[in-house]
Every structure is written in C-alpha cells, then in structure tokens.
Amino acid sequence: MWLWELCSGNVGEISSSVRTNVKGVAYANNRIWDTAEYTIPTQAVNSFFVMTNIIKTENQSKQECPEVNMFCDLSCFSTGIQTGRCVDYNVTFKTCEVEAWCPVQPMENPPEPAVLRSSEDFTVLIKNNINFPKFNCTELNIPQDFNNSCTYNKTTSPLCPIFRLGDIVQEANQKFSEMAVKGGIIAIRINWDCNLDSWFYDCSPKYSFNRLDDKETMPGLHFRYARYYKLPHGEEQRTLFKVYGIRFDVLVFGGKLDILIPKKSTTTLVLR
Amino acid sequence: MWLWELCSGNVGEISSSVRTNVKGVAYANNRIWDTAEYTIPTQAVNSFFVMTNIIKTENQSKQECPEVNMFCDLSCFSTGIQTGRCVDYNVTFKTCEVEAWCPVQPMENPPEPAVLRSSEDFTVLIKNNINFPKFNCTELNIPQDFNNSCTYNKTTSPLCPIFRLGDIVQEANQKFSEMAVKGGIIAIRINWDCNLDSWFYDCSPKYSFNRLDDKETMPGLHFRYARYYKLPHGEEQRTLFKVYGIRFDVLVFGGKLDILIPKKSTTTLVLR
Amino acid sequence: MWLWELCSGNVGEISSSVRTNVKGVAYANNRIWDTAEYTIPTQAVNSFFVMTNIIKTENQSKQECPEVNMFCDLSCFSTGIQTGRCVDYNVTFKTCEVEAWCPVQPMENPPEPAVLRSSEDFTVLIKNNINFPKFNCTELNIPQDFNNSCTYNKTTSPLCPIFRLGDIVQEANQKFSEMAVKGGIIAIRINWDCNLDSWFYDCSPKYSFNRLDDKETMPGLHFRYARYYKLPHGEEQRTLFKVYGIRFDVLVFGGKLDILIPKKSTTTLVLR
C-alpha cells in the first residue's frame, strides 16, 4: 500500500507560460529566409515550427489542366471537379483533366538535401515562467546572470535558455540533415526539479529532448499553404507551398502533481 | 476509504504527439477549394480546422462609407471612427457614415445550405504517437498492416486511422449539413486502452467522438480573416472572409494517470 | 496521512472547449484596425491574441543593403548572407552589406505610447463548455438570462461572459497602457466551482486573472510576420510587421481532479 503526503501548503492553481524567439537567416534557392518566412504559424502556444524543406508551385490560377497521377487512355469518369477529358500530361502519357488551381503541384518527393538544412544553426530563446498565483510567486528559466550570447550545453551550460536547433535535434538522438528532409516533431521538456520541503528555494529547470513522431512508420510533418496575389486586371493567383519542417513542442513538467508524493518511493509523479 | 496502487514501474514522463492530414477537393461558388484553402490555420497542435461555410467581401479599402446597422435620421454622434454624417445606405434607409474598410461586410446570416457542405466527404489521416522516454518506447496508432485506402468504421474497421469527416460528425450524433452552416467543435478522443499489468503488450487505440460546443445556446465557430493585395499604384486592398467551420480537437487519453488505480473499483482515472 | 475519497460516480473523461470572439475597431497610424487585422493567428485553441503595438517596414524586396547594427570600418567578413562589403548606413557610420529583404527593419524600441493602446476598450465574448460524455451532460458559462450588452464586473456582474480587455488587465494588477507597449501574456482562469456531492446541481464559473510572463525579467510578447505582394512585372515584395500584443490564455479548471478530495483538508486539488 502506498501512503500519500501533501506538501506543507496548498499550492493552489499553477500555470506555465512559454514564449519563444527563433533567430537566424538562411540563403537558399535564390531567396532570403528570415523568421517571418520560416516560422508558420508566426506564433503558437507552447510550440514553434521551423521550416526545413519546401516544394513551391508558382502562379497557380483557376483553370483546366491535366492531373498528375490519374492516368487515362481515352476518357475519364466525370465526377466532382473532373472535366471527363483525357489529355496529354506530357509526351509520354495522358492523365484526366481537372478544374483546379493549375498547374497542379507534382507528386514529387521532398528535395534532398533539404532546402533549408542550414536552419540547423538557427537558435531559439525559450522563456518559461511558472506561476503560483496563491503565493504571488513566479519562477523563471532565465538565470540571474543571464548572458545573451550563451548557448545551451548539457554539460557546460545547462541553464542557458538559448538553444541551437541542431543541438536540440542531436540531443534527441536524431540527425538534423536527415530529419530536415521530411520534418518531424521534437519535444523540449522543461522539468522543474524543485525540492518540495523548501519549495521556492531550490527550483531550477532541467532540459531534455526526444523525438515525438515515429521515425520508422510514416515519419515527418508537412502541410500546404498558399500566398494569394491579384493580377493588375483583378484575376487571383497563388503560390502554393508544400512545407516540411520541425515542430518543437515545449512541455513543462513539475509544477503540478509534485505536491503529491508517495511515501515509500523515490518516485516523483509528474503530470502535465 | 480508497487505497491506491502504483503500477509496477515508474513510467516517468509520457507525451503524445498528433499529426493530421486532411484530403479532399471541393468545387463551390465558382472556386476550387483544396487543403491550402480550407484549413486555417494551416497547422495546429492536436487540432485541425475545416472551413464549411463562408461570407466573402471583396475589394475592401480604406474609405468612408455607410455602416450596416447604425441607422440614423439626420446626423450621427461622431465617436471614434464615425465621421458624424448620416448617409444613404440604400434607397430605403440611412446609416451613419464611418471611416472603415469599405464596403463594410453586411450583417447577414451564413448561407444555407453551407457553401462547402461537400467537405463531408473529405478525409483525415490522424497519426498519434505516445512516447515513454524512460522505456525508450513508442506506441503508434497506425496498424502494422495499414492499408492506406481504408476508412474508419466503428464496427468493421475500428483501427483504421483514416476518417471521413461526415462519419466523425455522425458518430458524434450530429448532422453534418446542419453543423456545416454555423460550424462547431468536435472532439476526437483517442483512448489508449492498455492493460497495466503487461503495459506494453496490449495497447490499442479506441476512438470516440462528441460535440464540444453547445448545440442549444450559441452554437457555432466562426472568425474573420483577410487577404491583402496591393494595387499597381500601391494602394492596399483586402478580401475579407467570415469563415465558419468545424474544429476537430484530438484528445488523447490513457497515458497519464492509468498508473494510479483504485483498489476497490474498476474505475480507471484518466486525466489529460 | 491523508485519506482520499472518490466522488460517488466515475465521471469518466471530461473535456472543455473554449471559443472567443473579440470585438472592437480602432483608428491609428492612418489605418483602420478591425478583428481581421489585430487577431493573429485568426484563431487558436484556448487562447486569443490582440495586437497592441507594431513596427511596420514596407516594400521590402530581395536586394543588397546595409545591415542595421553590424558596424564596420573598411571591410566585412563574408559569411552566409554578407556580401563582404562595408557600406554607408547613413552619413555618420558604415555597416556591413548583406543580401536581405531590404530595407532592413531598424532595431528600434516599440513605439510609446503603443499604437493600438485603444484596444483597451475592445471586448471579448468567451464561450466555455464543459462536457461529461458519460453523463451526456454539458455545462456552459452563458447564463440562462444572458444579456449580450452586459460587461463582466467582479462584483456587480460576475457571471457575464463578455470582458473588456482593459478590465481583464486591471484585474491582473497590470496597467494596460504599459503592457500594450511590449505585450505579454495574461491568464484568464475559469474555475468551475462545483459541489461534488450534488455534482451537476451547483456548478457555476468563477473568473480570475493574472499575468503569466515575467514583468521584471524580459517581459513582453512579440513576433514578426509579413504580407506578400507581387508587383505588376512579377517581382515579390513584402511588408514586414514586428507585432507586439497580449495573448490571453483561457485556462479551465475544476473538471478534472475535483473527483479526488482529501478528507482532512479543505484543499481542493485542481489540475488542468
């Protein structure tokens, strides 16, 4: 049987906030990539995304054009947005014609090496606050003597809140250049390792990292988005992006059920 | 009195990741709607949104024009962005003039039937990983013999991770055509029904669905967003969208307090 | 030793949904700011963001131009996107030339007073549902006799779900005009204060507010985003925004571990 002890006071409702700032500029595919380009969406709660690879299809507009993989011989079933016509895709074969944003984005694999593989050198500053409203008290992961040119290192600089993306991925036992091709999800865990007996007096964050999407079965993270333009005569065009990238989920542990500890164990129950 | 037992080992920190890919194309209102058009934002954590209805106001620019519901007789109080003038809204009545993105979007109800009601036939592939870093172990909701042309069915195909949106909404006891008009929120619950005694050996996901926004009082989910254009001489214009849609929140249960089980009960405490 | 009691039934899985609608229009910097302008992203789960300050850099395009803070004398190291040339930044000093989105956004402080300080008067309607699927039961924070012209007041109108942003910030003991300059994060807590013995019969929301980002060390919340345009001859331009604002995180408490109560304490463990 387990006995449970509650820590000395009622800590009440606890909450955590995470803010991130990614820095770095890359030059690739004849284009400058800065924060406004490679973070999509521009902000999220407890999470940030950095684009690592891209397939771009420019100047799409509403037209009729051959689909990319609906091969045909003579005619096509006309359902939904198919016109029913079987047309030349290229000199070798024919595909069904569709009403679509044309030209249709080809069904190709993501480029290798990844277009934005140099995002490995980007850095992120993570600001994490833990709030105990009842005690009117806040813990922050920024050290008192914070040097804003530091870089996190597990051994030599374990409290620096600025992380090189390549280091994060390496600490999660992944290879950045590989992961950049199809994208993926990495967890950045912040574990507030606090001594409950003297709650606010020994409380510092420990960072750890692991990959969250499955590396073997269907790895990767991608989505499509578009930028819309209007031509001078009013017609709408768009540039379609198939974007691959790494989403970093910042998971904060330790502020919640640490108050409840089993007496016969060194186990710390940590719930998010 | 309840006694509590901890499962045999300390499972440590557990985390879940969710990735979704929505597929489907619709033709409506003389426009082609593909993923890049109907998912806003293009990606979110543990959630995806599919547009089902829309009110579009094109070619707005900064001007002075009559408001849509501030009716007036002769003059208007000039506060904030009101010019103070009472002007013709149409041949029947007058409204206050405002400095605004003109023409102002009319205060009309969402179209019925919903513009994108055919999104009922879109499908979504949901990839969910559960991670036990301490055990260096990952569970994934993609079956070993995954057939990517399968569709989830409660009875005949309960492990297929591809869901037809119409089926999800029906399983939540809602009518898609009705819900599409004003939008709403649907929970997709993934319950990892694991046997704790042999933790990693009997662990498969169970799916269930329910509506989260209140159907009776103020149902629906909508927001406004705009696309910005510049005219050849540099003036800014925008197209304003009032977008209605269904947000699907993917809620993963089972990985967190299953470790703590009451001895005198078959109850499983499941926390998120 | 603490004894624990479980409430009479197994409440099963509980979930909460939050929908928000921000209202208000401001006129500032010769521009009209409505919801589609100042909420970024246009929707989020359990959170909404209102822009309060902005630095805008118009008509950026890919060129070579002087950096803003890499001062130089004669030449520059050419790494990455530096051209290696040391050029005139202005009549006083020289900086390194870079290939960039030019003109480069200056490294200036956010405007004071904040451009959109009048967002203090915007209001937000918060709709929060709690769902107990097992009981097929939903609690909603909209009162039966809801008057949609009410405004929340701690004392006189504690159940009105419409909040003036300025009031929220004041209740969190912050000054709106100050916080608007650099932005920040405010928690809106909804505490479902339910009597467990008669679970569904005495259940009403209590609201409280506090600031989540650290006021002393590196306060604020900002990010960059861009709007893209194409010139008539096809060249791409963008307007870059450095956006400061307040993110309001809606935290719902009470539906989760209230089922577990310590016998010898008045403590209510409330987990999210």
Side-chain angles (χ1 to χ4, degrees), chain A residues 4-7 9-14 134 255-261 269 271, chain B residues 4 257 260 269 271, chain C residues 2-5 191-192 196 199 253-263 265-272:
Chain A
W4 296 85
E5 282 193 333
L6 206 60
C7 78
N10 172 14
V11 299
E13 294 160 6
I14 298 168
K134 194 156 184 175
K256 300 230 163 137
L257 206 71
D258 273 1
I259 46 167
L260 193 67
I261 44 168
L269 271 186
L271 295 194
Chain B
W4 296 84
L257 207 72
L260 194 66
L269 272 186
L271 295 194
Chain C
W2 290 93
L3 302 185
W4 296 85
E5 283 194 332
N191 210 318
W192 284 91
L196 302 184
W199 186 266
F253 294 89
K256 300 228 164 138
L257 206 72
D258 274 0
I259 47 168
L260 195 66
I261 44 168
K263 235 180 168 175
S265 164
T266 59
T267 303
T268 309
L269 272 185
V270 182
L271 295 193
R272 196 165 71 98

Side-chain angles (χ1 to χ4, degrees), chain B residues 189 191 214 220 228 236 238, chain C residues 13 15 19 34 37 129:
Chain B
R189 294 153 183 282
N191 210 318
D214 195 68
Y228 294 83
E236 203 176 6
R238 72 176 197 187
Chain C
E13 294 159 6
S15 50
R19 294 167 288 154
D34 58 13
E37 296 263 325
N129 288 42

Side-chain angles (χ1 to χ4, degrees), chain A residues 138-156:
Chain A
T138 293
E139 285 290 330
L140 180 62
N141 72 328
I142 313 282
Q144 293 283 345
D145 57 345
F146 175 51
N147 168 1
N148 70 15
S149 66
C150 72
T151 306
Y152 170 86
N153 178 288
K154 200 180 175 175
T155 314
T156 60

Side-chain angles (χ1 to χ4, degrees), chain B:
Chain B
M1 178 185 152
W2 289 94
L3 301 184
W4 296 84
E5 283 194 333
L6 207 62
C7 79
S8 52
N10 171 13
V11 300
E13 294 160 6
I14 299 169
S15 51
S16 155
S17 82
V18 170
R19 293 167 290 154
T20 59
N21 284 96
V22 184
K23 272 197 184 169
V25 182
Y27 182 83
N29 279 15
N30 197 30
R31 189 180 182 91
I32 302 290
W33 304 86
D34 58 13
T35 315
E37 296 262 327
Y38 60 69
T39 54
I40 303 163
T42 44
Q43 71 150 341
V45 178
N46 300 334
S47 184
F48 62 96
F49 174 87
V50 173
M51 186 195 295
T52 55
N53 212 353
I54 195 165
I55 297 172
K56 185 164 85 167
T57 307
E58 286 198 273
N59 301 329
Q60 289 190 327
S61 62
K62 198 201 140 208
Q63 288 166 32
E64 293 167 359
C65 57
E67 238 299 341
V68 290
N69 63 348
M70 293 192 288
F71 303 108
C72 56
D73 230 351
L74 282 170
S75 67
C76 291
F77 282 101
S78 176
T79 58
I81 54 166
Q82 288 189 35
T83 63
R85 282 189 290 274
C86 180
V87 296
D88 291 338
Y89 179 73
N90 56 24
V91 290
T92 321
F93 55 84
K94 287 162 171 282
T95 61
C96 293
E97 194 184 59
V98 288
E99 198 150 7
W101 286 94
C102 298
V104 171
Q105 192 165 60
M107 299 275 283
E108 61 194 32
N109 286 324
E112 293 196 59
V115 173
L116 277 162
R117 59 196 176 280
S118 65
S119 53
E120 189 169 2
D121 291 321
F122 295 173
T123 58
V124 62
L125 164 61
I126 299 179
K127 292 180 253 183
N128 175 222
N129 287 41
I130 294 199
N131 226 263
F132 307 84
K134 195 156 184 175
F135 291 84
N136 196 19
C137 178
T138 294
E139 285 290 329
L140 179 62
N141 72 328
I142 313 282
Q144 293 283 344
D145 58 344
F146 175 51
N147 169 3
N148 70 15
S149 65
C150 73
T151 305
Y152 171 85
N153 178 290
K154 199 180 175 176
T155 315
T156 60
S157 190
L159 291 178
C160 172
I162 300 176
F163 303 84
R164 188 178 157 270
L165 300 191
D167 292 349
I168 292 175
V169 170
Q170 193 177 22
E171 285 285 330
N173 298 314
Q174 307 297 316
K175 219 178 151 183
F176 196 95
S177 58
E178 262 175 44
M179 201 168 169
V181 174
K182 289 189 173 178
I185 307 178
I186 296 273
I188 300 177
R189 294 153 183 282
I190 307 184
N191 210 318
W192 284 91
D193 194 21
C194 300
N195 185 328
L196 302 185
D197 294 325
S198 54
W199 186 266
F200 299 120
Y201 305 102
D202 181 12
C203 207
S204 66
K206 272 189 196 158
Y207 302 96
S208 59
F209 313 91
N210 70 298
R211 184 167 184 170
L212 288 182
D213 63 309
D214 195 68
K215 202 183 163 177
E216 311 304 329
T217 318
M218 309 181 85
L221 182 66
H222 68 265
F223 55 87
R224 285 183 176 81
Y225 86 99
R227 282 187 194 140
Y228 294 83
Y229 305 99
K230 266 194 184 169
L231 299 186
H233 51 280
E235 198 208 344
E236 203 176 6
Q237 274 200 348
R238 72 176 197 187
T239 300
L240 179 65
F241 299 91
K242 184 171 180 182
V243 169
Y244 302 82
I246 304 177
R247 196 180 79 209
F248 296 88
D249 289 356
V250 184
L251 310 178
V252 181
F253 295 90
K256 301 230 162 138
L257 207 72
D258 274 1
I259 47 169
L260 194 66
I261 44 168
K263 235 180 168 176
K264 291 185 183 171
S265 162
T266 58
T267 303
T268 309
L269 272 186
V270 182
L271 295 194
R272 197 164 72 96

Side-chain angles (χ1 to χ4, degrees), chain A residues 21-241:
Chain A
N21 284 96
V22 184
K23 272 198 183 169
V25 182
Y27 182 82
N29 279 13
N30 197 30
R31 189 180 182 91
I32 302 289
W33 304 86
D34 58 12
T35 314
E37 296 263 325
Y38 60 68
T39 53
I40 302 163
T42 44
Q43 71 149 340
V45 178
N46 299 334
S47 185
F48 62 97
F49 174 87
V50 173
M51 187 194 296
T52 54
N53 212 353
I54 195 164
I55 297 172
K56 185 163 86 166
T57 308
E58 285 199 272
N59 301 327
Q60 288 190 328
S61 62
K62 199 200 139 210
Q63 287 166 29
E64 292 167 359
C65 58
E67 237 300 341
V68 290
N69 63 348
M70 293 192 288
F71 304 108
C72 57
D73 230 349
L74 283 169
S75 68
C76 290
F77 283 101
S78 175
T79 58
I81 54 165
Q82 288 189 35
T83 63
R85 282 188 291 272
C86 180
V87 296
D88 290 339
Y89 179 73
N90 56 24
V91 291
T92 321
F93 55 85
K94 288 163 171 281
T95 61
C96 292
E97 194 183 62
V98 288
E99 197 151 6
W101 285 94
C102 297
V104 171
Q105 192 165 60
M107 299 276 282
E108 62 195 31
N109 286 325
E112 292 194 61
V115 172
L116 278 163
R117 59 196 177 280
S118 65
S119 53
E120 190 168 3
D121 290 321
F122 295 174
T123 58
V124 61
L125 164 61
I126 299 180
K127 292 180 252 182
N128 175 221
N129 287 42
I130 294 199
N131 225 265
F132 307 83
K134 194 156 184 175
F135 290 83
N136 196 21
C137 178
T138 293
E139 285 290 330
L140 180 62
N141 72 328
I142 313 282
Q144 293 283 345
D145 57 345
F146 175 51
N147 168 1
N148 70 15
S149 66
C150 72
T151 306
Y152 170 86
N153 178 288
K154 200 180 175 175
T155 314
T156 60
S157 190
L159 291 178
C160 172
I162 300 176
F163 303 84
R164 188 175 157 272
L165 300 191
D167 293 348
I168 292 176
V169 169
Q170 193 177 23
E171 285 284 331
N173 298 313
Q174 307 297 317
K175 219 178 151 182
F176 196 94
S177 58
E178 261 175 46
M179 201 169 169
V181 174
K182 288 189 174 178
I185 307 178
I186 296 273
I188 300 177
R189 293 151 182 284
I190 307 183
N191 210 317
W192 285 91
D193 195 20
C194 300
N195 184 328
L196 302 185
D197 296 325
S198 53
W199 186 265
F200 299 119
Y201 304 101
D202 182 12
C203 206
S204 67
K206 273 189 195 157
Y207 301 96
S208 59
F209 313 91
N210 70 298
R211 182 165 185 173
L212 288 182
D213 63 310
D214 195 68
K215 203 182 163 177
E216 311 304 328
T217 318
M218 310 180 86
L221 182 66
H222 67 264
F223 54 87
R224 284 183 176 82
Y225 86 99
R227 283 188 194 139
Y228 294 83
Y229 305 100
K230 266 195 184 168
L231 300 186
H233 51 280
E235 198 207 344
E236 203 176 4
Q237 273 199 348
R238 73 177 195 186
T239 300
L240 180 65
F241 300 91

Side-chain angles (χ1 to χ4, degrees), chain C residues 90-118:
Chain C
N90 56 24
V91 289
T92 320
F93 55 85
K94 288 163 171 281
T95 61
C96 292
E97 194 183 60
V98 288
E99 197 150 8
W101 285 93
C102 296
V104 171
Q105 192 164 58
M107 299 277 283
E108 62 193 33
N109 286 325
E112 294 195 57
V115 173
L116 277 163
R117 59 196 177 280
S118 65

